[in-house]
Amino acid sequence: MAFGPLQPVLCVRRAKFEQQATLEGFDFTASPKLPAAQIRDPAALRWLHSGESVILFGPVGVGKTHIAQALGHLAIRWGANVRFTKTSRILAELAGGHADRTWDKRMRELIRPHLLILDDFAMRQLSAAQADDLYELVSEGQGRSLIITSNRAPSDWYPLFPNPVVAESLLDRLINASHQVIMNGPSYRPNERPKNPTDKPPTS
C-alpha cells in the first residue's frame, strides 16, 4: 500500500488519539509475562504495507490501548492516515447514520484512513444492526488495516453476534488476516498514574 506525503502534526490531530503514546514510552519491565518481542515486531509495519491487521487482546489494564496508539503514531510517521476510536463510538456513529440517512457518508469517512484502530472491541453482546454494521465496516474496508484491542480472545467473539452466519463471515475474514498478540500480566495503569509528591516511600 502506498502512503501519502508526511504531515505528522495534522495527521496526529485527525487521528483523535486519547494520548501521545509511543513504544519508547512503554514500560516492558512492568510485567515479565508481556511478550515484548511479539509486541515490538508489529513496529516494523510490514502488516500495514500488506493491508493486514493486528489484534491485541488480554485482561484489563495491561497496556493494549497504549500499544495500539503507539503503533498508530508509527504509522503516521510513515505517511499513513490513521483514526483511533472506541468500538462503541463507531457503532453509535453508524446507528446515527441509519437514523438521519447519512450512513453511506459516515461509512466512507470511516474506511478512508489507511489504518483504523478499534479500541475495546467485543465488550458486550451486539444487536443484529450493530453486527451488520461491523460486517459492512470490515467488508467495505477490505485491503485497509485494522488494529483491534479486546479484553476477550478472538475465539470468544463469536457468541456476541446474534447471527452465526454473520459472525463466521466477518470474524473468519478478520481473524485470518490478522497478527494476534496476547498481552497478559498485572495492570499497567498504576505505572501510568502520576506520582503524588507527598507520598512516602514504603518502609521495609
Side-chain angles (χ1 to χ4, degrees):
M1 181 181 294
F3 302 133
L6 288 173
Q7 295 178 299
V9 175
L10 179 60
C11 288
V12 167
R13 192 179 305 126
R14 287 176 174 170
K16 301 181 180 180
F17 293 120
E18 292 182 338
Q19 62 186 121
Q20 299 303 307
T22 64
L23 284 180
E24 296 85 355
F26 188 78
D27 184 7
F28 285 96
T29 66
S31 172
K33 293 184 178 181
L34 286 175
Q38 288 186 35
I39 293 172
R40 287 192 177 100
D41 182 63
L45 300 184
R46 290 183 293 270
W47 53 275
L48 181 61
H49 290 277
S50 301
E52 298 168 342
S53 299
V54 173
I55 297 173
L56 306 167
F57 65 97
V60 173
V62 293
K64 301 182 297 294
T65 301
H66 183 119
I67 295 299
Q69 292 180 100
L71 292 173
H73 275 94
L74 281 175
I76 287 174
R77 292 181 208 172
W78 283 96
N81 291 318
V82 178
R83 179 171 176 185
F84 171 90
T85 184
K86 298 292 185 185
T87 304
S88 59
R89 199 171 299 148
I90 286 279
L91 294 174
E93 190 171 333
L94 290 173
H98 288 297
D100 65 8
R101 299 184 180 181
T102 60
W103 187 91
D104 289 337
K105 179 182 177 181
R106 297 186 189 209
M107 179 62 73
R108 286 195 299 271
E109 288 297 316
L110 291 173
I111 64 173
R112 181 174 297 172
H114 301 109
L115 172 61
L116 178 62
I117 303 174
L118 296 178
D119 195 34
D120 290 337
F121 188 84
M123 288 284 287
R124 57 183 64 86
Q125 192 83 25
L126 297 167
S127 68
Q130 289 174 328
D132 287 344
D133 282 344
L134 280 177
Y135 175 83
E136 294 297 333
L137 179 65
V138 173
S139 299
E140 292 290 331
Q142 193 74 20
R144 303 274 172 161
S145 294
L146 296 169
I147 294 179
I148 290 174
T149 75
S150 180
N151 297 335
R152 304 173 190 260
S155 58
D156 295 331
W157 296 350
Y158 290 85
L160 301 178
F161 287 76
N163 186 330
V165 176
V166 173
E168 288 286 342
S169 182
L170 166 62
L171 297 180
D172 283 356
R173 179 183 305 176
L174 177 61
I175 293 170
N176 290 335
S178 298
H179 301 267
Q180 299 180 31
V181 180
I182 304 173
M183 295 181 63
N184 208 343
S187 177
Y188 182 77
R189 287 174 186 164
N191 299 325
E192 297 183 325
R193 194 176 298 143
K195 295 207 170 30
N196 188 334
T198 62
D199 287 348
K200 296 181 180 179
T203 56
S204 56

